[in-house]
Amino acid sequence: MRNCILCLFLLISFAAFCQEQPHYTSADKRLEAFQIRNHLLDESILQHVDVDNIGPTVFGGRITDLDVNPDDPTRFFVAYATGGLWYTENNGTTFTPVFDYEAVMTIGDLAVDWKNGHIWIGTGENNSSRSSYAGVGLYVSRNMGKSWQHMGLPESHHIGRILIHPKQPNTILVASMGHLYSSNKERGIYRSTDGGQTWEHVLFVNDKTGGIDLVFDPVNSNIVYASMWERERRAWNFKGSGSGSGIYKSTNAGRTWSLISGEGSGFPMGDGVGRIGLDVTRDKGKTVVYAFLDNLNRRPEEEKELSDDLTKESFKSMTNDELLNLNDEKLTQFLRSNRFPTKYTASSIKEMIRKNTIQPVQIAEYLEDANTVMFDTPVVGAEIYRSNDGGKSWFKTHKNYLDGINFSYGYYFGEIRASAQNSDKIYVMGVPIVISEDGGKTFTSINGENVHVDHHALWVNPNKAGHLINGNDGGLNISYDDGKNWIQCNTIPVGQFYYINVDLQTPYNVYGGLQDNGTWKGPHNYSYNVRWQNSGKYPYESLGGGDGMQVQIDSRDQTLYGGSQFGNYFRMDGTTGQRKFITPRHELGDRPYRWNWQSPILLSKHNQDILYMGANKLLRSMNKGDDFTSISPDLTTGGKVGDVPYGTLTTIDESPFTFGLLYTGSDDGLVHRSMDGGFTWENITTGLPDKMWVGRIVSSVHAEGRVYIALNGYRWDDFTPYVYMSDDYGDSWKSISDPLPHEAVNVIKEDPENEDILYIGTDHAVYISTDRGSSYMTLGNLPYSPVHDVVIHPKEGHLIIGTHGRSMYKTDIKPLRELLKTGLSENPLYVFNIPKQRWTSFWGRQFGVFRGGSDPNVSIHIYSEQGGEASMKVFIGEDLQLNSIGLELKKGIASYVYDLTIDEEKVEEYEKLLNENNKTEIKVTSADNGSYYLQKGKYTIVITKGDLISKQELVVE
């Protein structure tokens, strides 16, 4: 009986565990989602609209790999974490994207067969960060990126390395890391001998250990080294090491493998072995193998010299009497150096102890949260090991700790390179990039002043010593003198925005916070050029550093609120630029606030002196952030033990109809509502999926009780779209996500003018609904990059799109609104309102023999139910036709350029008509470029397609 009870208990426990973690989305569903995305694009009336990138381009997003043509190093490919693949053939002066419209844009590794023009891409970033997106396996292009073919391994999710056999190009080796947030068996090393048609799983350790690195012996390509990495991430914790981690060797081109970092090898073993990077070089005919280890074993406690300095640990065992006897000056120094609020002084602390309001241990607890665990963990950290006998034995190259390379987050790094000419010269990529010229005994930083930190890729020229190409979180750098000097090659719009916003200026500005590149402000009409290099002023300006997060703008005086990760926010005067740190601290005696990586802030729609901030509680300031008050209990499930803050608020909104009608969402899946300004709160999560990250909650501008919500399962490897709406303040919820493909949703917004239009940003696209979520269409001309935020400018009718990979985009949604107003089904052919054109005598002017001219044009937006041949005719008055242009109409809404010219044979008749009632004679003469242009006046644009005709007025003033 006792055995039966035990079995029943185990079954219940197992069922509870399975229920706790949502199931990951299968690769089949994700690849099917790609087909649905493309189908929704093919059927979309927005597949051909203009979508313009508005930068910034001055910084580069996270690079994950490089592949350089060794015979011509001015030609190379650059792979980005979420920005796709780019190609240059002029040494990084300009780049062309070649991987924008496949199932995913995230890349972990690439390998190029330069002789045959074959490119292999392993999708899924090879880092394991918060926004390391999952891939769908392998792609190959056999025509240098013109077209791509999916080549399997879809459950790999994250690929660490691809090798192409140098003598047998159909033999491919792949290091599969596997899922980031869930266990799976499709991890380890895979091998194909038929160009990827079939794959053999040649090395498997366990369902949490994947392949992270592979490297050939430079002389004998039958010898291959592989590193395996055990890791497990949750939203609240990251375990970046395990006994499954280790180094393996194959002597038959990857068919079989043996562990070479085991017992007696000299290489660390056990639960503390983290990520391992590898490289191989030669020394006097012998193979030299280097390994860069993230050693997560704890540092041994050293005997500390006796000191009377106060530390956080001092208070954990201190008695009340011992604290009361502390020197006031010493206690004050501790408080100020640890950034306690100024209201806490030696005197006030001792008074609280006397009254038994707090205990000494609470002074230590005041400084402890998940960030403390993450950043202050005393791990061994970065270590370099070397083998001079092909991996039979290993020794550590340095005596002391390599502090300052990995810190406690080595999972984000792990790459090492060895010189082909000098076996003692190695390069290690961490927060800085460092070089050693004595085999790893000592290191020097080569992180130049124009080189960003956090390094993930490096190419070392095997034929020219000192020539380096480096990829990091801030883009691309090239050096020809071993890192003494660097060229920065950031000219492409790769930026990972978390959040964007706009102001109400004329012309207006856009704002946004980015991963590892701070917070920026710039003009909405930015287009890429290099003229700024002459003026010295880039159109965008930096507002703050770190990982940039949310921005709020006071429309009255342009006061800005912005900040960086974990709730570190400031207020900036819009005129003087003066800053004030405003993040509130908890009360001594209370547990610290839990701040999300992307802590939300919100200016009240009713009074912009009122600022809300979300920790695990909702905080409100009535005086622009000078002081905050908690106006809620803990609005989460209470957090979890781990090294990542969890149980935090992720989104806040306030009804535009009623002050104090507030909504919050948390990372652990709770949604709350207050209808009285925070005095009382109700949990309105019932009816929503459990444990999903609440990505966005939006209170409608059209109906007081209407609210929208987007939930995200990415941190469970669940890519189901979760989008809901309520018309009763969240008392009940209705799913509006059924027509969407299986893609995690990051944001939902509603159109401020038309309540039926919704905008959805997912990990791969923007979807727009014109019937409040019953159906969706894909927005075209946008790379399939993650979309983290969208904003609709209330005056200009522009949709601004913040991507987490390709910076910001802008498109005009006024034509869509206009078409819906007139009735979509009633207009198989429709010409939209044409903006007025301002006439100038500079039209057609040539400014010099070697300088371009000023050629005008106007974009005319046309809706056509079906594409096909059509004509555009320009009339003045009823009968005089000035020009006729043939068009090939595209299906849906598209823009067509008219250059404002008239036919030369119409000039005389046109001039006569203009002068009929004109006192001053008008002469229509040809411009410098030989063209004749419209004069000031009113004209009619007539579009004809078969029996269909649509007209619109064009005004030149």
Side-chain angles (χ1 to χ4, degrees), residues 15-62:
F17 173 79
C18 293
Q19 188 178 15
E20 180 181 344
Q21 179 168 336
H23 196 270
Y24 65 80
T25 302
S26 70
D28 289 343
K29 273 282 187 187
R30 299 183 65 213
L31 289 169
E32 180 188 15
F34 175 48
Q35 302 303 321
I36 296 172
R37 185 195 320 159
N38 285 336
H39 172 72
L40 293 176
L41 179 63
D42 291 340
E43 298 299 315
S44 174
I45 63 172
L46 301 175
Q47 62 179 302
H48 298 299
V49 298
D50 293 333
V51 182
D52 301 319
N53 190 282
I54 56 172
T57 58
V58 72
F59 49 76
R62 187 160 68 245

Side-chain angles (χ1 to χ4, degrees), residues 604-858:
S604 172
K605 298 177 173 72
H606 304 278
N607 181 343
Q608 292 181 89
D609 284 344
I610 299 175
L611 176 67
Y612 299 98
M613 288 189 71
N616 54 311
K617 302 177 180 181
L618 186 62
L619 308 165
R620 182 175 63 198
S621 171
M622 305 295 283
N623 54 9
K624 297 186 173 184
D626 285 338
D627 303 289
F628 280 89
T629 302
S630 172
I631 62 168
S632 79
D634 192 328
L635 297 176
T636 76
T637 58
K640 286 179 179 286
V641 176
D643 57 13
V644 181
Y646 187 72
T648 64
L649 295 184
T650 52
T651 179
I652 311 164
D653 205 13
E654 180 182 43
S655 170
F657 291 95
T658 305
F659 173 73
L661 176 49
L662 300 166
Y663 297 93
T664 67
S666 67
D667 55 9
D668 51 11
L670 295 189
V671 183
H672 283 87
R673 175 191 68 204
S674 174
M675 304 184 80
D676 53 16
F679 286 101
T680 60
W681 289 87
E682 296 174 82
N683 186 330
I684 56 171
T685 313
T686 302
L688 298 173
D690 288 339
K691 301 179 180 67
M692 295 299 161
W693 190 285
V694 185
R696 197 65 57 96
I697 193 162
V698 176
S699 184
S700 173
V701 300
H702 298 290
E704 183 180 272
R706 188 175 300 157
V707 59
Y708 294 93
I709 194 165
L711 307 176
N712 190 303
Y714 159 80
R715 291 159 187 84
W716 301 106
D717 287 327
D718 177 2
F719 303 106
T720 308
Y722 296 114
V723 188
Y724 293 81
M725 70 169 291
S726 172
D727 275 320
D728 54 13
Y729 302 91
D731 286 338
S732 62
W733 296 97
K734 171 190 173 185
S735 173
I736 55 171
S737 51
D738 287 348
L740 290 168
H742 265 67
E743 299 172 4
V745 177
N746 300 306
V747 62
I748 180 172
K749 292 287 181 70
E750 64 171 2
D751 191 87
E753 290 192 9
N754 186 328
E755 65 179 342
D756 291 327
I757 303 178
L758 299 177
Y759 307 92
I760 305 283
T762 76
D763 282 351
H764 303 289
V766 170
Y767 297 93
I768 298 178
S769 174
T770 58
D771 50 19
R772 225 180 301 170
S774 295
S775 63
Y776 292 93
M777 51 189 167
T778 308
L779 178 65
N781 292 317
L782 188 70
Y784 287 160
S785 181
V787 175
H788 272 224
D789 202 8
V790 294
V791 174
I792 304 95
H793 195 277
K795 292 182 179 179
E796 299 296 332
H798 295 160
L799 177 67
I800 309 298
I801 302 162
T803 74
H804 195 77
R806 292 291 279 273
S807 288
M808 282 188 281
Y809 288 82
K810 177 185 71 178
T811 189
D812 191 348
I813 56 174
K814 292 191 295 294
L816 176 62
R817 290 172 174 169
E818 186 180 335
L819 184 63
L820 294 176
K821 278 183 181 179
T822 61
L824 184 62
S825 62
E826 300 173 7
N827 292 287
L829 183 67
Y830 185 78
V831 184
F832 297 94
N833 285 325
I834 303 171
K836 293 180 179 179
Q837 302 300 301
R838 185 170 294 278
W839 184 88
T840 169
S841 60
F842 286 110
W843 285 358
R845 172 85 63 88
Q846 298 296 126
F847 295 104
V849 176
F850 299 108
R851 294 180 63 189
S854 176
D855 298 327
N857 61 67
V858 57

Side-chain angles (χ1 to χ4, degrees), residues 12 22 27 65 97 153 163 177 179 184 201 221 267 297 355 409 467 496 564 649 706 788 814 840 852 904 930:
I12 292 172
D65 199 20
L153 305 186
L163 293 183
M177 296 167 64
H179 297 186
N184 72 309
H201 200 175
S221 49
F267 197 86
N297 286 298
K355 292 182 176 179
Y409 36 102
H467 181 197
Q496 295 181 309
S564 56
L649 295 184
R706 188 175 300 157
H788 272 224
K814 292 191 295 294
T840 169
E904 184 174 356

Side-chain angles (χ1 to χ4, degrees), residues 178-245:
H179 297 186
L180 180 55
Y181 287 95
S182 55
S183 301
N184 72 309
K185 295 181 178 179
E186 294 83 359
R187 302 173 186 262
I189 307 302
Y190 286 84
R191 181 175 187 261
S192 174
T193 57
D194 55 11
Q197 298 300 316
T198 59
W199 293 95
E200 184 183 0
H201 200 175
V202 292
L203 177 58
F204 174 76
V205 176
N206 60 51
D207 62 3
K208 294 180 182 178
T209 302
I212 183 61
D213 210 351
L214 285 166
V215 62
F216 280 121
D217 183 290
V219 174
N220 184 353
S221 49
N222 282 324
I223 298 176
V224 197
Y225 299 88
S227 60
M228 303 293 282
W229 180 23
E230 183 170 324
R231 83 210 200 289
E232 184 178 23
R233 184 177 266 286
R234 292 289 181 264
W236 57 89
N237 191 55
F238 182 71
K239 182 178 182 294
S241 64
S243 58
S245 302

